[in-house]
Amino acid sequence: MAGAASSRRKATSKVDPFGYDPEFHASARPVAEFLYRTYWRVDTEGLEHIPAKGPALIVGNHSGGIPFDAAMITAAVDLEHPQHRLVRYLYDKFVEGMPLVGDAYKRLGSVPATVQNARLLLRHGDLVGIFPEGVAGVAKGVLQRYRVQPFRSSFVRLAVEENVPVIPVAVVGAEETYPIVGKLQKLGGLTQLLNVPYIPVTPLFPLFGLLGVIPLPSKWHIRFGAPIHLADEAPKVGMRKLWYRQTAEKLRRELQGTLHEMLAARESLF
């Protein structure tokens, strides 16, 4: 691990155009490792599908009220992959205006979600993480747990035009960290102050105040699937618009099927 950390520092010695700070990441790594190994006891499979080098799009289901899923997918690749690679997650633009959060995201390697930013990362040879459900993924209530919401198709076009593989990733366990039973969209201006679309209501928050913010210690499973080379399947340019949408929906259904399989095999929530 020491050698890998040294390699990471050398590889990121140049100033990152998006604000990634390797030293800040190193200081946060023990927290991520505690959550990954001890608190959520994450079982990860399929890491052999993550390439040792070069670009790829990591596409997964989104959930949890607060998006710890991105943090644990990143931790899995950072801690467990032989090359300890960094996953550069794209985040919604409202996050950038949240006090402290937007800056922390950037310093940890995440990037505002635009097609141009994704292209730059892929052309640099990075792993780029995307949740095609968007905010709809984390906003699901308890009755919609593990129901993958419609995918935006822009990631399909990106994968084809940049000729990079799509690696699907399914996450089970994040939905139980903050089970959403309601949403407060107007709370005395708090949503505007925090620059968030809503305040999630869980069985513990806001009833128990700050204690209710602590995520529940659910048992997590992460499964990386085999790379999908969409550029090999794409039709001629003039016929692609509908194909992009159809392919996004096909990948959504396949990911939903993987989640059903993982949920059926799960022994308990915690």
Side-chain angles (χ1 to χ4, degrees):
M1 284 295 291
S6 176
S7 298
R8 275 192 295 257
R9 284 193 295 270
K10 290 178 182 177
T12 54
S13 57
K14 295 181 180 179
V15 176
D16 183 84
F18 297 104
Y20 173 59
D21 183 344
E23 292 185 0
F24 183 76
H25 186 188
S27 68
R29 187 171 288 113
V31 177
E33 186 165 10
F34 166 77
L35 292 172
Y36 181 85
R37 299 196 190 280
T38 304
Y39 196 73
W40 286 315
R41 295 146 289 132
V42 183
D43 287 334
T44 299
E45 56 183 303
L47 277 168
E48 67 274 11
H49 297 309
I50 303 293
K53 61 180 180 179
L57 279 173
I58 297 177
V59 176
N61 60 300
H62 207 13
S63 58
I66 294 177
F68 281 112
D69 44 12
M72 291 300 97
I73 292 170
T74 300
V77 179
D78 182 36
L79 297 171
E80 306 274 18
H81 190 272
Q83 302 302 319
H84 308 285
R85 298 193 65 185
L86 173 67
V87 180
R88 310 293 300 263
Y89 259 96
L90 303 181
Y91 60 82
D92 283 290
K93 56 186 177 182
F94 77 85
V95 173
E96 204 162 10
M98 294 175 65
L100 303 177
V101 176
D103 180 62
Y105 271 38
K106 287 182 179 178
R107 295 176 71 186
L108 289 170
S110 294
V111 177
T114 69
V115 173
Q116 182 182 12
N117 287 347
R119 288 189 194 280
L120 289 173
L121 291 169
L122 292 170
R123 291 174 184 179
H124 187 258
D126 288 322
L127 298 173
V128 178
I130 296 178
F131 292 120
E133 294 172 271
V135 176
V138 292
K140 294 192 296 283
V142 291
L143 298 180
Q144 294 178 303
R145 287 186 311 146
Y146 300 110
R147 296 182 184 177
V148 184
Q149 302 303 294
F151 274 6
R152 301 168 185 170
S153 61
S154 55
F155 77 94
V156 178
R157 178 177 180 178
L158 188 63
V160 170
E161 293 180 349
E162 297 301 321
N163 193 19
V164 299
V166 169
I167 300 174
V169 58
V171 181
V172 167
E175 295 274 18
E176 286 78 30
T177 57
Y178 289 108
I180 296 177
V181 297
K183 302 172 193 173
L184 300 175
Q185 296 184 320
K186 292 184 179 180
L187 190 62
L190 185 59
T191 52
Q192 289 81 7
L193 177 65
L194 297 177
N195 197 45
V196 294
Y198 66 91
I199 303 293
V201 177
T202 75
L204 301 180
F205 181 83
L207 183 62
F208 290 94
L210 292 178
L211 286 176
V213 178
I214 299 173
L216 296 177
S218 53
K219 170 66 178 173
W220 285 43
H221 302 265
I222 297 176
R223 179 184 295 178
F224 293 95
I228 303 168
H229 297 274
L230 296 176
D232 298 338
E233 306 173 15
K236 295 180 180 179
V237 174
M239 304 171 61
R240 287 183 179 177
K241 192 171 183 179
L242 175 61
W243 182 83
Y244 289 148
R245 295 198 297 271
Q246 292 174 335
T247 301
E249 174 57 18
K250 176 185 175 184
L251 295 177
R252 187 199 69 81
R253 290 198 305 267
E254 290 176 354
L255 185 61
Q256 183 71 78
T258 300
L259 288 170
H260 286 322
E261 179 183 329
M262 293 169 68
L263 288 167
R266 183 166 66 167
E267 295 180 356
S268 70
L269 300 181
F270 298 99

